[in-house]
Amino acid sequence: MKTDIILCGVGGQGILSIATIIGEAAMKEGLYIKQAEVHGMSQRGGDVQSNLRLSSEPINSDLIALGSADVIISMEPMEALRYLPYLSKTGWIITSSAPFVNIDNYPDVEKLKADYDQLPNVIFFDIEKLAKDNNIPRSANVILLGAAQKALGIEYQKLEDAIRRVFGRKGDAVVEANIKALAIGKEQQK
């Protein structure tokens, strides 16, 4: 088993929390894990990207080569397109359709949607709206993770258990909100 994952978005969206949950679940499955993080501006709005590599065999490098990522998980639709050269021909993109417009020349959302329509393996949906509609506005990132579960090759229950461990110190309400978010995301899988 080998899964190379690129996680991306902008600062403050919860990308590194997704990486922590996946890493926790992978370690409990006895997988090897390597992670490399690239943080943009330390304030909200800067580019944040993380390479996360999981394998049943030892991993030599924490960086993902061009054309070899199995999954791109993105909290922001334009950010995922930035990493397309890294995606394998059979790879998946799971991305929010809700833009985080932080530049003057941000592309039209319909143009972004048209770009995604040209790709074979995409889950493109509004995680922000789902989070708000379900009274879990701070768990949009975990909705995205739920949609990516199948592409990651990690059992759903392992991700749920990881959420309990990662967020346990924040209290039952936070844990339950994130488990609810994971289930909502799972409903978006193709």
Side-chain angles (χ1 to χ4, degrees):
M1 182 265 182
K2 176 200 80 68
T3 307
D4 287 341
I5 308 155
I6 293 177
L7 299 145
C8 55
V10 295
Q13 290 187 308
I15 283 297
L16 300 180
S17 293
I18 293 174
T20 301
I21 294 166
I22 293 170
E24 178 72 20
M27 287 192 311
K28 288 295 181 182
E29 285 198 14
L31 297 174
Y32 292 91
I33 180 170
K34 290 247 184 193
Q35 181 176 4
E37 296 174 5
V38 176
H39 301 271
M41 296 168 27
S42 60
Q43 64 190 28
R44 185 170 179 79
D47 176 38
V48 176
Q49 184 260 341
S50 178
N51 285 356
L52 189 59
R53 304 189 71 207
L54 314 175
S55 178
S56 53
E57 303 294 323
I59 304 166
N60 294 321
S61 173
D62 54 1
L63 298 177
I64 297 171
L66 289 172
S68 65
D70 301 297
V71 185
I72 295 174
I73 300 172
S74 182
M75 292 290 295
E76 208 288 325
M78 189 178 74
E79 290 297 324
L81 293 175
R82 193 186 293 222
Y83 296 100
L84 267 182
Y86 289 90
L87 190 65
S88 74
K89 294 195 183 313
T90 58
W92 278 86
I93 296 176
I94 296 92
T95 184
S96 174
S97 62
F100 185 93
V101 181
N102 58 353
I103 57 174
D104 292 336
N105 60 345
Y106 193 94
D108 179 67
V109 176
E110 290 306 313
K111 167 145 179 20
L112 289 175
K113 172 97 173 77
D115 289 344
Y116 280 107
D117 287 344
Q118 302 300 311
L119 301 170
N121 301 317
V122 174
I123 300 174
F124 183 83
F125 68 111
D126 191 340
I127 61 173
E128 301 293 336
K129 182 175 180 347
L130 279 173
K132 287 177 188 163
D133 290 351
N134 286 280
N135 276 341
I136 50 172
R138 296 181 52 102
S139 299
N141 61 332
V142 180
I143 290 175
L144 192 64
L145 175 60
Q149 176 265 322
K150 190 174 173 183
L152 294 172
I154 297 175
E155 292 177 34
Y156 181 83
Q157 187 61 49
K158 300 281 186 187
L159 289 173
E160 205 175 88
D161 292 344
I163 286 170
R164 285 187 177 89
R165 288 188 298 275
V166 169
F167 294 114
R169 62 178 167 51
K170 293 186 176 188
D172 291 342
V174 172
V175 169
E176 291 311 312
N178 283 287
I179 287 174
K180 179 180 179 180
L182 191 71
I184 291 166
K186 185 178 185 212
E187 293 171 10
Q188 303 298 315
Q189 292 180 5
K190 291 183 179 180

